[in-house]
Amino acid sequence: MEGLKALIILWCVWVFLILSHSSLGDAKVRHYNFNVEYFFKSVDCVDHLVMGINGQFPGPTIRAEVGDTLHIAVTNKLSTEETAIHWHGIRQYGTPWADGIVSVSQCAINPGETFHYRFKVDKAGTYFYDGHTGLQRTGGLHGSLIVDLPKGKKEPFHYDAEFSLLLSDWWHKSIQEQEVGLTSRVESLRWVWEPQTYRIRITSATSLVSLNLAISNHKMVVVEADGHYVKPLAVDNLDIYSGESYSVLVTTNQNPNQNYWISVGPRDLSVSTTQALTLLNYKSISTSILPSFPPPVTLPWDDYEGRKAFAKKLFALKGTPQPPKYSQRRIVLLSTQDVINGYLRWITNGISLSLPKTPYLGSIKFNLKNAFDWRAPPNGFPRDYDIYVPPKNINSTMGNRVYKFQFNQVVDVILQNANSFKPNTTSFHPWHLHGHDFWVLGYGEGKFKDGDEKLFNLKNPPLKNTVVAFPYGWTALRFRADNPGVWLFHCHMEPHFRMGMGVVFAEGVQYVKGIPNQALACGLTAKLLMDKKTHY
């Protein structure tokens, strides 16, 4: 069967096929004009209001080579909403204002305004971009971003052609309904519950759910995670959380007179959402002939051990940079829930993140003491805290403090998962770090304690930018604070982040140069611009 090509056919779900491509040539500037707007589209055979770019849902695919500069002019054509776009997985060395986070790295793009994102892509891999204001990713504001190796360079694995799968969830509730439901007082809180259909590509741009993907009769070999090579890992199915990306190799070596199911299903709670199905089709048979066997069934949502097993089998490919042997600072982040002034909020070390009106980048650069709370946030939580019971009297507050690191400092972050507000309730949390990649040093059960660092894998831990924290357990990661700027670190489940689940890191801000006026033209930095009439 060698050399047979596979096609994907999908009903009422959009799939985009990216074929093998020729070299893109020497490094260059690639220009895009993105108009963010609403339009009606039948995404799942039901006409619905969609947020997209240039009339497309998902947004246009961006493709570039390592070393290229992307210049993307984003115009906000939403009549009543502000917006911004985050380039997920791009580290933004030297351009922290282009990270696309309102109140952290830039001012919002107001209706009718255009913001010029200009940044270099320095690492090959599979990435995506998404709206990072409110629940705009939920509404459809996302697309693929693929960075190829430079001309003459080769991947450490062989393949004949490629096609891309982008995973996202789709909701029949409008994002406005969801937003109001999430931010109502606790007695009126309306959780978003479950989506209706799934759209498939390479990366998971889901708003909330984690997914499981399988192909009938075909093994998948995982070779890349979040833009980094991993030791090839053969799997029957793949768990993927919001914000993650993988590349897998599939060999078309099965019976060419048969079609095969591709199945994608939810892995969160016991929801009734049906699996999204499409076909892996060998060209020798009609695409109208359905397989004679049932599709792969999504694994049980409460199969915790199976989900952990996959994560623990990911190792960096030989030659990947190893982590520093020792860290210089450790932060333990406890994730809980609490009611603050009548509203249910996600809490990290006693604080629910509420972003300030003036973006942190300008506030710290120009030492604006009234812009946010400059007090240091807690580095951990009480030793006697019981992670298995609902939080009690933890005196949570809304806040906007910042973890400040010495430039080039090696930092360990321990993500500690715990019980939520209701008894016997917890969740899977995929945490995404902006501006950096990190080494995933390991996972553990229960509460992290002194001595657990002996369990860290310092030999071949995978490099990622998004990692899951499992129920009632801890996840350890290590990174070097070597990217001057202010960076968000948050749960990538959009409702959780909207309800306060995140923290802010800052390092080397004194070295940031050339911040464009556009990124400063709001809050206290706008007043600074008007007073001094100076370009920074």
Side-chain angles (χ1 to χ4, degrees):
M1 315 303 173
E2 187 176 353
L4 288 176
K5 295 183 178 179
L7 296 177
I8 284 186
I9 311 298
L10 188 62
W11 296 276
C12 295
V13 179
W14 297 94
V15 174
F16 294 80
L17 182 65
I18 298 177
L19 299 176
S20 58
H21 56 280
S22 59
S23 171
L24 296 175
D26 297 330
K28 60 180 69 174
V29 178
R30 298 180 182 273
H31 297 272
Y32 293 85
N33 291 311
F34 278 11
N35 294 320
V36 178
E37 55 195 348
Y38 277 115
F39 48 89
F40 285 99
K41 193 175 186 70
S42 178
V43 174
D44 61 344
C45 306
V46 177
D47 206 37
H48 199 277
L49 196 62
V50 174
M51 183 180 289
I53 294 172
N54 301 345
Q56 297 182 40
F57 167 77
T61 294
I62 295 174
R63 194 144 199 166
E65 281 190 359
V66 169
D68 286 350
T69 295
L70 296 178
H71 183 180
I72 306 163
V74 176
T75 300
N76 183 357
K77 297 213 168 183
L78 308 171
S79 59
T80 60
E81 298 177 49
E82 58 186 33
T83 193
I85 293 183
H86 169 56
W87 316 97
H88 187 106
I90 305 301
R91 293 176 290 186
Q92 300 291 354
Y93 282 120
T95 52
W97 55 83
D99 193 45
I101 310 301
V102 173
S103 294
V104 177
S105 59
Q106 71 167 90
C107 298
I109 310 172
N110 293 313
E113 293 181 346
T114 298
F115 191 94
H116 291 267
Y117 292 97
R118 189 181 176 98
F119 55 89
K120 183 174 289 189
V121 288
D122 65 343
K123 182 166 59 70
T126 303
Y127 310 105
F128 70 102
Y129 59 86
D130 62 337
H132 223 287
T133 304
L135 300 181
Q136 291 182 354
R137 171 160 41 95
T138 305
L141 187 52
H142 56 261
S144 287
L145 197 169
I146 299 173
V147 182
D148 293 302
L149 288 169
K151 184 178 180 180
K153 298 284 187 180
K154 292 185 178 181
E155 305 279 8
F157 43 83
H158 172 75
Y159 59 98
D160 297 304
E162 67 175 59
F163 42 127
S164 300
L165 304 173
L166 176 65
L167 305 171
S168 65
D169 41 16
W170 185 246
W171 311 79
H172 284 184
K173 273 187 179 180
S174 71
I175 61 174
Q176 289 78 17
E177 289 179 277
Q178 294 186 48
E179 176 98 17
V180 172
L182 291 170
T183 56
S184 297
R185 292 181 63 86
V186 66
E187 62 270 15
S188 303
L189 178 74
R190 296 186 181 182
W191 186 241
V192 295
W193 294 113
E194 56 179 289
Q196 300 300 311
T197 60
Y198 299 92
R199 183 191 77 89
I200 307 175
R201 218 181 197 183
I202 358 179
T203 333
S204 179
T206 58
S207 158
L208 178 67
V209 299
S210 54
L211 300 170
N212 184 261
L213 184 148
I215 305 174
S216 297
N217 294 40
H218 290 75
K219 286 273 189 183
M220 294 178 288
V221 180
V222 182
V223 292
E224 178 217 343
D226 290 359
H228 291 278
Y229 301 129
V230 295
K231 184 178 178 181
L233 173 64
V235 295
D236 294 311
N237 60 82
L238 177 74
D239 280 330
I240 184 166
Y241 299 88
S242 176
E244 289 189 312
S245 65
Y246 292 99
S247 288
V248 299
L249 302 181
V250 177
T251 303
T252 53
N253 56 3
Q254 299 299 303
N255 180 358
N257 298 313
Q258 176 72 267
N259 284 327
Y260 300 89
W261 290 113
I262 297 177
S263 172
V264 181
R267 281 279 258 165
D268 291 276
L269 302 178
S270 185
V271 298
S272 60
T273 306
T274 57
Q275 297 169 236
L277 299 175
T278 185
L279 291 180
L280 178 67
N281 165 243
Y282 287 68
K283 283 190 171 181
S284 53
I285 184 175
S286 169
T287 57
S288 64
I289 299 176
L290 296 181
S292 58
F293 43 82
V297 177
T298 300
L299 298 179
W301 70 271
D302 56 355
D303 175 27
Y304 290 3
E305 295 309 311
R307 297 171 79 162
K308 292 175 185 176
F310 170 72
K312 292 177 180 179
K313 289 178 182 176
L314 280 181
F315 299 104
L317 188 66
K318 186 177 180 180
T320 301
Q322 291 181 307
K325 289 186 177 181
Y326 304 100
S327 66
Q328 297 159 307
R329 184 170 175 187
R330 177 185 295 167
I331 297 171
V332 183
L333 299 178
L334 173 70
S335 299
T336 59
Q337 284 182 315
D338 201 2
V339 175
I340 303 177
N341 299 325
Y343 296 87
L344 184 65
R345 301 284 297 183
W346 281 98
I347 312 296
T348 305
N349 287 2
I351 299 175
S352 183
L353 182 63
S354 178
L355 295 173
K357 298 296 184 183
T358 305
Y360 290 105
L361 183 62
S363 301
I364 297 175
K365 175 69 176 178
F366 305 118
N367 201 33
L368 303 180
K369 294 299 184 183
N370 296 325
F372 66 93
D373 187 347
W374 285 66
R375 292 178 296 169
N379 276 335
F381 59 93
R383 287 179 174 269
D384 62 353
Y385 187 90
D386 190 342
I387 67 169
Y388 296 101
V389 300
K392 297 178 181 178
N393 302 319
I394 59 177
N395 298 318
S396 303
T397 61
M398 304 281 282
N400 50 33
R401 304 186 194 185
V402 176
Y403 289 92
K404 300 182 183 70
F405 304 129
Q406 296 176 14
F407 185 61
N408 226 26
Q409 190 175 36
V410 178
V411 181
D412 279 0
V413 177
I414 311 298
L415 296 170
Q416 178 66 66
N417 211 339
N419 203 94
S420 303
F421 192 69
K422 295 181 180 180
N424 304 313
T425 304
T426 185
S427 184
F428 294 81
H429 296 293
W431 281 78
H432 170 55
L433 178 57
H434 292 230
H436 304 78
D437 294 315
F438 50 72
W439 290 275
V440 183
L441 301 184
Y443 307 87
E445 306 295 328
K447 187 163 63 174
F448 184 84
K449 60 186 182 300
D450 290 340
D452 279 345
E453 60 272 10
K454 295 178 182 177
L455 302 175
F456 291 174
N457 170 22
L458 299 179
K459 180 182 177 182
N460 56 358
L463 271 167
K464 296 187 94 257
N465 60 57
T466 304
V467 69
V468 64
F470 292 104
Y472 303 117
W474 54 263
T475 299
L477 57 94
R478 179 170 294 176
F479 73 98
R480 188 180 292 277
D482 59 357
N483 192 2
V486 184
W487 310 103
L488 197 60
F489 183 43
H490 64 104
C491 180
H492 207 264
M493 297 167 74
E494 202 157 40
H496 290 191
F497 176 55
R498 180 62 184 84
M499 296 168 71
M501 194 172 187
V503 295
V504 178
F505 295 160
E507 68 223 38
V509 177
Q510 68 273 23
Y511 301 119
V512 175
K513 305 294 182 184
I515 304 175
N517 286 350
Q518 271 191 308
L520 301 171
C522 61
L524 298 180
T525 48
K527 184 176 184 302
L528 195 69
L529 283 175
M530 288 187 291
D531 289 346
K532 294 190 176 182
K533 296 181 180 179
T534 304
H535 179 80
Y536 296 94

